[in-house]
Amino acid sequence: MPWYGWYVIGISALACVLTVWDKRCARRGRWRVPEKTLFIVAALGGAASMLLTMRTVRHKTRHRRFMWGLPLIIAAQTALLMAGHHFAFT
């Protein structure tokens, strides 16, 4: 598998772990993962897995910032990937 495949697996796993960890900390009244950190991980490639995890564990689903922001990040990443693919083969 190429390096970028391992990268996507790693960043996706990190996004899932951070989301579940934040949910667990929220329930226990402990220190939370900053939203900025969650968005950075999402922007670095973990947006899809973070969105799926948030919906699965029902965490931050009432926060418009996440329920709109993560799909927008996914759309932007998809557009960039498609544009890069288009220019690579023209």
Side-chain angles (χ1 to χ4, degrees):
M1 181 180 322
W3 67 269
Y4 49 85
W6 290 110
Y7 173 80
V8 170
I9 290 170
I11 199 73
S12 296
L14 177 61
C16 289
V17 167
L18 286 176
T19 302
V20 171
W21 181 260
D22 189 50
K23 169 80 173 191
R24 185 176 182 180
C25 290
R27 289 181 135 183
R28 295 179 179 191
R30 293 186 179 170
W31 177 84
R32 306 279 303 275
V33 178
E35 288 186 357
K36 182 178 180 179
T37 301
L38 294 173
F39 273 113
I40 288 171
V41 171
L44 291 174
S49 63
M50 186 176 288
L51 181 62
L52 289 173
T53 304
M54 285 182 172
R55 290 186 179 216
T56 301
V57 299
R58 296 182 183 178
H59 185 54
K60 294 194 179 283
T61 55
R62 293 186 180 187
H63 292 243
R64 287 184 184 161
R65 180 181 294 175
F66 282 95
M67 292 300 105
W68 285 90
L70 293 177
L72 287 174
I73 291 172
I74 294 167
Q77 290 171 342
T78 302
L80 287 172
L81 186 64
M82 291 175 67
H85 181 55
H86 173 74
F87 289 117
F89 292 103
T90 57

